[in-house]
Amino acid sequence: MFTYQIDDEVSLAIPRPKKDATPLFSLVEESRSDLAPWLPWVAGMQNVTDEEKFLRTVLEHFGKGTSVNLIIRYQKQVAGMISFNRFLQMDHSTEIGYWLGNKFKDRNIMHRAVIAMCELGFLEYDVHKIEIHAAIDNVASNHVAQKAGFHLDGMVRASELLADGFHDTNIWTLLKEEWETDH
């Protein structure tokens, strides 16, 4: 398994569709009611086969260099996922997306994973700016961005269509020179 060890407890790993689909799908099932309001893909994730197909697709995207989806592991257990959703060549930017299973919350896991993704983005992918987009009423996601040192650039009205309708979205950014100053 190809992993990026963050610390003694948390690591990021390239997905293994056959091995990781079952634990990931179980996490989605256990956390469905908390994930579904913020992540439109949750409704379509109905079984392990759906998860395995998704993991195969993200590996194809990784191979093409269009996105990077990694599994978050906590004490060697699958805890969630984090990704660079896309890379924009025009401004050398990327956007981080993430989710964590309910049983892994309140352990500072996502903070550590976001910091590690920033390191990967700035050092390995040579991006200039990393963004996090979070519905303004998604308190947990906004907290992750703020705690990781991202700057709140502003809010975009009705920019995210979720299960219950359109939501305004906060746009958080971190520039490479800001990250270098803190690291």
Side-chain angles (χ1 to χ4, degrees):
M1 169 177 20
F2 294 98
T3 62
Y4 181 77
Q5 197 67 41
I6 298 170
D7 56 36
D8 291 344
E9 295 181 317
V10 182
S11 62
L12 305 177
I14 294 174
R16 302 163 303 168
K18 286 274 186 217
K19 285 190 150 206
D20 295 323
T22 298
L24 277 169
F25 180 72
S26 293
L27 269 184
V28 170
E29 276 295 288
E30 293 165 10
S31 309
R32 189 173 292 275
S33 63
D34 290 323
L35 296 174
W38 312 116
L39 301 169
W41 58 262
V42 171
M45 192 64 64
Q46 293 299 312
N47 53 51
V48 173
T49 302
D50 292 339
E51 185 69 51
E52 190 174 333
K53 281 187 207 172
F54 169 74
L55 295 176
R56 289 188 191 289
T57 299
V58 300
L59 286 176
E60 288 174 20
H61 294 176
F62 176 73
K64 293 176 184 174
T66 58
S67 68
V68 176
N69 288 260
L70 301 171
I71 293 175
I72 301 169
R73 294 187 175 279
Y74 176 75
Q75 297 179 346
K76 300 185 181 175
Q77 297 175 70
V78 172
M81 289 193 78
I82 193 165
S83 60
F84 291 136
N85 294 334
R86 46 95 183 130
F87 294 98
L88 292 179
Q89 296 305 314
M90 187 172 77
D91 65 356
H92 296 271
S93 71
T94 188
E95 176 191 343
I96 294 178
Y98 44 79
W99 67 271
L100 198 62
N102 285 350
K103 66 184 177 183
F104 294 100
K105 290 184 178 176
D106 301 320
R107 298 179 194 191
N108 207 30
I109 296 168
M110 193 55 73
H111 173 73
R112 292 183 270 177
V114 167
I115 296 299
M117 289 296 280
C118 290
E119 184 172 301
L120 289 170
F122 292 131
L123 298 180
E124 300 298 326
Y125 287 90
D126 198 30
V127 298
H128 173 70
K129 177 174 68 175
I130 298 175
E131 299 178 4
I132 294 175
H133 298 194
I136 61 167
D137 39 354
N138 184 340
V139 175
S141 190
N142 282 286
H143 179 71
V144 167
Q146 183 178 27
K147 185 176 178 183
F150 280 65
H151 175 267
L152 178 59
D153 285 1
M155 182 267 297
V156 180
R157 296 182 306 147
S159 68
E160 193 169 8
L161 179 58
L162 300 175
D164 63 347
F166 285 95
H167 286 247
D168 298 344
T169 301
N170 283 330
I171 308 295
W172 297 86
T173 63
L174 184 63
L175 303 178
K176 186 174 186 176
E177 58 265 21
E178 294 167 340
W179 180 82
E180 288 172 339
T181 299
D182 291 338
H183 294 87

PDB file of all heavy atoms in Angstrom, residues 27 30-35 79 100-106:
ATOM      1  N   LEU A  27     -18.516   2.956   6.518  1.00  0.00           N
ATOM      2  CA  LEU A  27     -18.435   4.288   7.127  1.00  0.00           C
ATOM      3  C   LEU A  27     -19.506   5.217   6.579  1.00  0.00           C
ATOM      4  O   LEU A  27     -20.114   5.979   7.324  1.00  0.00           O
ATOM      5  CB  LEU A  27     -17.071   4.917   6.852  1.00  0.00           C
ATOM      6  CG  LEU A  27     -15.965   4.707   7.845  1.00  0.00           C
ATOM      7  CD1 LEU A  27     -14.727   5.491   7.416  1.00  0.00           C
ATOM      8  CD2 LEU A  27     -16.368   5.089   9.242  1.00  0.00           C
ATOM      9  N   GLU A  30     -22.816   4.187   8.169  1.00  0.00           N
ATOM     10  CA  GLU A  30     -22.892   4.591   9.577  1.00  0.00           C
ATOM     11  C   GLU A  30     -23.050   6.109   9.727  1.00  0.00           C
ATOM     12  O   GLU A  30     -23.604   6.568  10.727  1.00  0.00           O
ATOM     13  CB  GLU A  30     -21.617   4.171  10.311  1.00  0.00           C
ATOM     14  CG  GLU A  30     -21.426   2.683  10.442  1.00  0.00           C
ATOM     15  CD  GLU A  30     -20.000   2.306  10.849  1.00  0.00           C
ATOM     16  OE1 GLU A  30     -19.204   3.208  11.223  1.00  0.00           O
ATOM     17  OE2 GLU A  30     -19.670   1.110  10.774  1.00  0.00           O
ATOM     18  N   SER A  31     -22.551   6.857   8.762  1.00  0.00           N
ATOM     19  CA  SER A  31     -22.520   8.325   8.859  1.00  0.00           C
ATOM     20  C   SER A  31     -23.461   9.000   7.870  1.00  0.00           C
ATOM     21  O   SER A  31     -23.446  10.229   7.745  1.00  0.00           O
ATOM     22  CB  SER A  31     -21.080   8.802   8.597  1.00  0.00           C
ATOM     23  OG  SER A  31     -20.165   8.104   9.408  1.00  0.00           O
ATOM     24  N   ARG A  32     -24.268   8.225   7.182  1.00  0.00           N
ATOM     25  CA  ARG A  32     -25.109   8.725   6.084  1.00  0.00           C
ATOM     26  C   ARG A  32     -25.935   9.955   6.477  1.00  0.00           C
ATOM     27  O   ARG A  32     -25.988  10.936   5.746  1.00  0.00           O
ATOM     28  CB  ARG A  32     -26.024   7.607   5.566  1.00  0.00           C
ATOM     29  CG  ARG A  32     -26.768   7.965   4.287  1.00  0.00           C
ATOM     30  CD  ARG A  32     -27.516   6.770   3.719  1.00  0.00           C
ATOM     31  NE  ARG A  32     -26.639   5.734   3.217  1.00  0.00           N
ATOM     32  CZ  ARG A  32     -26.110   5.728   1.987  1.00  0.00           C
ATOM     33  NH1 ARG A  32     -26.367   6.695   1.141  1.00  0.00           N
ATOM     34  NH2 ARG A  32     -25.328   4.736   1.615  1.00  0.00           N
ATOM     35  N   SER A  33     -26.573   9.925   7.623  1.00  0.00           N
ATOM     36  CA  SER A  33     -27.456  11.042   7.993  1.00  0.00           C
ATOM     37  C   SER A  33     -26.676  12.341   8.200  1.00  0.00           C
ATOM     38  O   SER A  33     -27.212  13.423   7.983  1.00  0.00           O
ATOM     39  CB  SER A  33     -28.273  10.705   9.232  1.00  0.00           C
ATOM     40  OG  SER A  33     -27.425  10.494  10.337  1.00  0.00           O
ATOM     41  N   ASP A  34     -25.410  12.262   8.600  1.00  0.00           N
ATOM     42  CA  ASP A  34     -24.591  13.463   8.776  1.00  0.00           C
ATOM     43  C   ASP A  34     -23.887  13.886   7.491  1.00  0.00           C
ATOM     44  O   ASP A  34     -23.634  15.074   7.287  1.00  0.00           O
ATOM     45  CB  ASP A  34     -23.549  13.249   9.876  1.00  0.00           C
ATOM     46  CG  ASP A  34     -24.193  13.168  11.252  1.00  0.00           C
ATOM     47  OD1 ASP A  34     -25.172  13.900  11.502  1.00  0.00           O
ATOM     48  OD2 ASP A  34     -23.721  12.367  12.077  1.00  0.00           O
ATOM     49  N   LEU A  35     -23.560  12.935   6.623  1.00  0.00           N
ATOM     50  CA  LEU A  35     -22.866  13.251   5.371  1.00  0.00           C
ATOM     51  C   LEU A  35     -23.820  13.743   4.280  1.00  0.00           C
ATOM     52  O   LEU A  35     -23.491  14.657   3.519  1.00  0.00           O
ATOM     53  CB  LEU A  35     -22.114  12.016   4.849  1.00  0.00           C
ATOM     54  CG  LEU A  35     -20.971  11.481   5.705  1.00  0.00           C
ATOM     55  CD1 LEU A  35     -20.434  10.186   5.109  1.00  0.00           C
ATOM     56  CD2 LEU A  35     -19.866  12.510   5.862  1.00  0.00           C
ATOM     57  N   ALA A  79     -10.853   5.836   7.873  1.00  0.00           N
ATOM     58  CA  ALA A  79     -11.606   6.838   8.634  1.00  0.00           C
ATOM     59  C   ALA A  79     -12.385   7.804   7.749  1.00  0.00           C
ATOM     60  O   ALA A  79     -13.299   8.473   8.224  1.00  0.00           O
ATOM     61  CB  ALA A  79     -10.656   7.629   9.526  1.00  0.00           C
ATOM     62  N   LEU A 100     -15.310  12.574   6.837  1.00  0.00           N
ATOM     63  CA  LEU A 100     -14.820  11.699   7.889  1.00  0.00           C
ATOM     64  C   LEU A 100     -15.998  10.937   8.475  1.00  0.00           C
ATOM     65  O   LEU A 100     -17.075  11.508   8.660  1.00  0.00           O
ATOM     66  CB  LEU A 100     -14.162  12.561   8.975  1.00  0.00           C
ATOM     67  CG  LEU A 100     -13.219  11.918   9.967  1.00  0.00           C
ATOM     68  CD1 LEU A 100     -12.008  11.327   9.263  1.00  0.00           C
ATOM     69  CD2 LEU A 100     -12.770  12.949  10.995  1.00  0.00           C
ATOM     70  N   GLY A 101     -15.798   9.665   8.754  1.00  0.00           N
ATOM     71  CA  GLY A 101     -16.830   8.868   9.401  1.00  0.00           C
ATOM     72  C   GLY A 101     -17.117   9.396  10.800  1.00  0.00           C
ATOM     73  O   GLY A 101     -16.211   9.874  11.489  1.00  0.00           O
ATOM     74  N   ASN A 102     -18.367   9.300  11.221  1.00  0.00           N
ATOM     75  CA  ASN A 102     -18.777   9.850  12.520  1.00  0.00           C
ATOM     76  C   ASN A 102     -17.950   9.336  13.694  1.00  0.00           C
ATOM     77  O   ASN A 102     -17.628  10.085  14.610  1.00  0.00           O
ATOM     78  CB  ASN A 102     -20.253   9.540  12.789  1.00  0.00           C
ATOM     79  CG  ASN A 102     -21.170  10.405  11.964  1.00  0.00           C
ATOM     80  OD1 ASN A 102     -20.743  11.363  11.316  1.00  0.00           O
ATOM     81  ND2 ASN A 102     -22.449  10.074  11.962  1.00  0.00           N
ATOM     82  N   LYS A 103     -17.604   8.057  13.670  1.00  0.00           N
ATOM     83  CA  LYS A 103     -16.890   7.505  14.826  1.00  0.00           C
ATOM     84  C   LYS A 103     -15.450   8.003  14.944  1.00  0.00           C
ATOM     85  O   LYS A 103     -14.777   7.742  15.928  1.00  0.00           O
ATOM     86  CB  LYS A 103     -16.939   5.985  14.818  1.00  0.00           C
ATOM     87  CG  LYS A 103     -16.215   5.309  13.684  1.00  0.00           C
ATOM     88  CD  LYS A 103     -16.444   3.802  13.760  1.00  0.00           C
ATOM     89  CE  LYS A 103     -15.811   3.071  12.598  1.00  0.00           C
ATOM     90  NZ  LYS A 103     -16.111   1.635  12.677  1.00  0.00           N
ATOM     91  N   PHE A 104     -14.995   8.768  13.936  1.00  0.00           N
ATOM     92  CA  PHE A 104     -13.632   9.303  13.971  1.00  0.00           C
ATOM     93  C   PHE A 104     -13.589  10.811  14.224  1.00  0.00           C
ATOM     94  O   PHE A 104     -12.518  11.404  14.214  1.00  0.00           O
ATOM     95  CB  PHE A 104     -12.914   8.973  12.657  1.00  0.00           C
ATOM     96  CG  PHE A 104     -12.703   7.500  12.474  1.00  0.00           C
ATOM     97  CD1 PHE A 104     -13.549   6.774  11.656  1.00  0.00           C
ATOM     98  CD2 PHE A 104     -11.692   6.841  13.142  1.00  0.00           C
ATOM     99  CE1 PHE A 104     -13.365   5.412  11.492  1.00  0.00           C
ATOM    100  CE2 PHE A 104     -11.502   5.478  12.989  1.00  0.00           C
ATOM    101  CZ  PHE A 104     -12.343   4.759  12.161  1.00  0.00           C
ATOM    102  N   LYS A 105     -14.735  11.410  14.476  1.00  0.00           N
ATOM    103  CA  LYS A 105     -14.776  12.855  14.717  1.00  0.00           C
ATOM    104  C   LYS A 105     -14.190  13.211  16.075  1.00  0.00           C
ATOM    105  O   LYS A 105     -14.072  12.355  16.954  1.00  0.00           O
ATOM    106  CB  LYS A 105     -16.220  13.349  14.620  1.00  0.00           C
ATOM    107  CG  LYS A 105     -16.745  13.317  13.201  1.00  0.00           C
ATOM    108  CD  LYS A 105     -18.134  13.891  13.126  1.00  0.00           C
ATOM    109  CE  LYS A 105     -18.599  13.886  11.674  1.00  0.00           C
ATOM    110  NZ  LYS A 105     -19.976  14.354  11.565  1.00  0.00           N
ATOM    111  N   ASP A 106     -13.840  14.477  16.214  1.00  0.00           N
ATOM    112  CA  ASP A 106     -13.322  15.029  17.467  1.00  0.00           C
ATOM    113  C   ASP A 106     -11.993  14.419  17.908  1.00  0.00           C
ATOM    114  O   ASP A 106     -11.727  14.274  19.100  1.00  0.00           O
ATOM    115  CB  ASP A 106     -14.361  14.904  18.594  1.00  0.00           C
ATOM    116  CG  ASP A 106     -15.648  15.631  18.259  1.00  0.00           C
ATOM    117  OD1 ASP A 106     -15.565  16.738  17.683  1.00  0.00           O
ATOM    118  OD2 ASP A 106     -16.736  15.093  18.548  1.00  0.00           O
TER     119      ASP A 106
END
